[in-house]
Amino acid sequence: MRNNKTAELVLTALFAAIIIIMAFTPLGYIPLVVINATIIHIPVILGALFCGPKKGGFLGFIFGLTSFIKNTVMPTSLSAFVFSPVLAASMVGTSGIVKSAFICFVPRILVGVFAGLIFQWMASKKCRTYLSGFVAGLVGSMTNTILVMG
């Protein structure tokens, strides 16, 4: 039991480190004209598959926090105010602060939670691991895309 908790802690820390490295280097964001596309949700989904939905939600929070910091400190696209409550307050006004914080954190947290829950549910139904992982990855990616872009 103790080794299992240690392994989960180590995996969570490794995935968190990968998220942070990807967020602050050119590895994680693909600059487009108006917005940056991201592949940082992939370590969040993998962390949720290996460690469960709670740790996946934590990794999603790390993803949201790095997005908030990056778009506040070094905005690179025209839509950086969407992910930074600080910039939203200066550009849109106080009504944009809550919306910006919501967009920055909630979809990213839900990526890990939904992917972990779908994977656990499919595993309990005796689905093959690769199919469970594929569906959980698809659900996690779609959660990020729909909630952020929507």
Side-chain angles (χ1 to χ4, degrees):
M1 174 93 171
R2 183 178 169 118
N3 287 338
N4 221 5
K5 289 191 178 259
T6 304
E8 264 189 34
L9 178 66
V10 169
L11 277 175
T12 305
L14 283 172
F15 282 118
I18 290 169
I19 291 166
I20 292 168
I21 289 169
M22 287 178 76
F24 295 108
T25 62
L27 298 173
Y29 289 101
I30 302 162
L32 302 174
V33 177
V34 179
I35 194 167
N36 286 329
T38 182
I39 57 171
I40 301 177
H41 61 279
I42 294 171
V44 174
I45 293 169
L46 290 174
L49 299 186
F50 286 113
C51 301
K54 288 182 184 177
K55 299 286 193 318
F58 171 74
L59 292 171
F61 174 77
I62 298 293
F63 175 26
L65 185 63
T66 59
S67 177
F68 168 78
I69 293 170
K70 182 174 174 65
N71 286 298
T72 301
V73 175
M74 41 189 181
T76 56
S77 67
L78 298 173
S79 62
F81 72 93
V82 173
F83 301 103
S84 172
V86 176
L87 293 177
S90 65
M91 294 181 77
V92 181
T94 56
S95 65
I97 295 174
V98 174
K99 292 177 187 174
S100 179
F102 180 86
I103 291 171
C104 192
F105 288 102
V106 174
R108 277 70 191 275
I109 292 170
L110 290 179
V111 166
V113 172
F114 288 168
L117 288 174
I118 291 291
F119 185 77
Q120 285 181 348
W121 177 74
M122 289 185 73
S124 73
K125 299 292 182 193
K126 307 289 188 236
C127 291
R128 298 206 179 259
T129 304
Y130 66 85
L131 181 63
S132 302
F134 175 78
V135 172
L138 187 66
V139 167
S141 295
M142 294 311 295
T143 300
N144 186 52
T145 302
I146 291 169
L147 291 179
V148 171
M149 298 305 287

